[in-house]
Amino acid sequence: MIQCKRLYDAASTGDGYRVLVDRLWPRGVKKDALEYDEWCKTLTPSPALRKDFHSGAIDFAAFREAWLAELAELTEEGERLLRQAKERPLTLLYGAKDTQHNHAQVLAEWLRGLAIRQ
């Protein structure tokens, strides 16, 4: 099971392996206050892509396609995370306010597809 959760939401026992998937540490959160197992900066959008999306230079559809293209080069890292998901749930933590249109949702979609292909 792969799920996404805002890092500002309380941790729960059903979260399983909690992975922060933001390139930058979230504002206002002390490192010892966040319950997480891993900070995976590798599976985050490139700085240029992140900037284009957050500035409004590209819409979510264009961002999604570009992010999926970047992820295609990171299959080995995705497979590593999937091994965690086989043992327990995998929760991708993100800081974005929009819970539907963010990089973690695209990453979860990609990971699910990767799991099917295995």
Side-chain angles (χ1 to χ4, degrees):
M1 180 173 78
I2 301 167
Q3 58 192 357
C4 297
K5 188 173 189 177
R6 286 197 77 219
L7 60 89
Y8 301 102
D9 296 338
S12 69
T13 55
D15 287 349
Y17 193 73
R18 294 169 49 92
V19 181
L20 176 60
V21 292
D22 281 349
R23 185 173 297 264
L24 304 174
W25 189 261
R27 287 184 179 193
V29 178
K30 294 183 180 184
K31 288 189 179 179
D32 60 349
L34 180 63
E35 292 182 48
Y36 69 105
D37 296 296
E38 176 183 346
W39 182 10
C40 184
K41 296 179 195 177
T42 308
L43 292 176
T44 60
S46 65
L49 180 57
R50 187 177 58 81
K51 182 179 177 182
D52 284 349
F53 179 55
H54 291 293
S55 71
I58 59 174
D59 64 6
F60 183 72
F63 168 79
R64 180 184 171 278
E65 291 305 312
W67 180 209
L68 287 171
E70 288 184 2
L71 285 169
E73 303 296 321
L74 301 170
T75 302
E76 189 174 306
E77 185 68 6
E79 290 171 346
R80 183 189 67 77
L81 272 187
L82 284 175
R83 287 191 290 276
Q84 293 293 335
K86 287 182 180 177
E87 299 172 10
R88 54 191 161 172
L90 175 66
T91 300
L92 306 176
L93 301 173
Y94 64 92
K97 291 179 183 176
D98 187 333
T99 59
Q100 299 300 312
H101 302 98
N102 63 64
H103 70 285
Q105 296 293 340
V106 178
L107 176 57
E109 171 192 342
W110 178 76
L111 286 169
R112 289 180 194 115
L114 193 60
I116 291 169
R117 291 189 296 266
Q118 287 184 339

